Amino acid sequence: VRRLLFAANWKMHLGPDEARAYLKAFRRDCAPIEGREVWFFAPAVSLEAVAHAVRGEGRDDLLAGAQNIHWEPKGAFTGEISGPLAVQAGARATLVGHSERRQLFGETDEQTARKVDAALNAGLVPVLCVGETLSERERDQTIAVVTRQLATALRDGGTVAGGRGTKESAAVARIVIAYEPVWAIGTGRNATPADAAHVHRAIRRWLSDRGMPTTRVLYGGSVNLKNVAELLAEPEVDGVLVGGASLDPSGWTALVRTGAP
Ligand code: PGA
């Protein structure tokens, strides 16, 4: 049974008070929908407010996540947040390797691998972001780039194979991949559903070959109310990772409810 995942990436928006007001409106307007989950990747300072707001009243369809973690569990790393600290603030998942981290902050493939490991060790579900730049796409390297990013970040599948404790195994089983073509993020340009499905199939094949056939693969990059339905109509697309169109609770509610009975 496919459980669609709607992931909001708030990026550098919505402080604690704004996050509380947002979640209050969202919870009021968007009752749980069978077969759908909604995850909120909040700025670190708002994590606790979001985690508090998504708990309670028996709602298990909502979850709070961090946008980034450091690979070490603790130490002298001024300005950084570790997996265990994010967990203490109430996070249950974390984005890893978002293209803005890679492009603007120089995050490498190897660092994403260490962050995936750190997330799993802390019991956080990693949402690993992969995607090609425009020039890579124009040189026909999309699949090569995406599989290289997967292979490094998941240690060619070793991440999933290794013997782990219960907490870590539960997180391993829930790893999520987000395919976000860099040229589609925040640009208003998005991949056609067929383009996305083509890359999703390659990702799915790579995952299946390494014993992860049920891993969810999200699409991200300028997803909005107008294009979400046709993207979700692709059986290869298990959900969406949304920046701009997730910042306003009523727009996000409409997006999450798209096509729901
Ligand atoms: P966007 O961002 O929806 O604003 O394009 C998506 C993302 O960066 O995750």
Side-chain angles (χ1 to χ4, degrees), residues 23-37:
L23 261 304
K24 194 172 170 202
F26 179 82
R27 290 180 50 130
R28 184 193 58 220
D29 299 339
C30 196
I33 303 167
E34 179 74 29
R36 298 194 179 190
E37 289 171 41

Side-chain angles (χ1 to χ4, degrees), residues 9 11 98-100 180 184-187 220-223 241-245:
N9 175 10
K11 307 191 181 182
H98 187 277
S99 70
E100 284 152 16
E180 299 200 302
I185 296 178
T187 57
S222 295
V223 174
L241 178 56
V242 184

Side-chain angles (χ1 to χ4, degrees), residues 106-152:
E107 198 164 298
T108 63
D109 284 347
E110 176 53 28
Q111 288 172 347
T112 63
R114 297 175 72 180
K115 290 182 180 197
V116 167
D117 290 342
L120 295 171
N121 288 334
L124 287 168
V125 177
V127 177
L128 173 66
C129 305
V130 297
E132 83 286 4
T133 62
L134 185 57
S135 75
E136 288 164 340
R137 164 160 290 234
E138 283 166 348
R139 281 180 279 134
D140 237 349
Q141 292 176 340
T142 299
I143 305 296
V145 167
V146 164
T147 46
R148 185 205 73 221
Q149 290 171 336
L150 283 174
T152 326

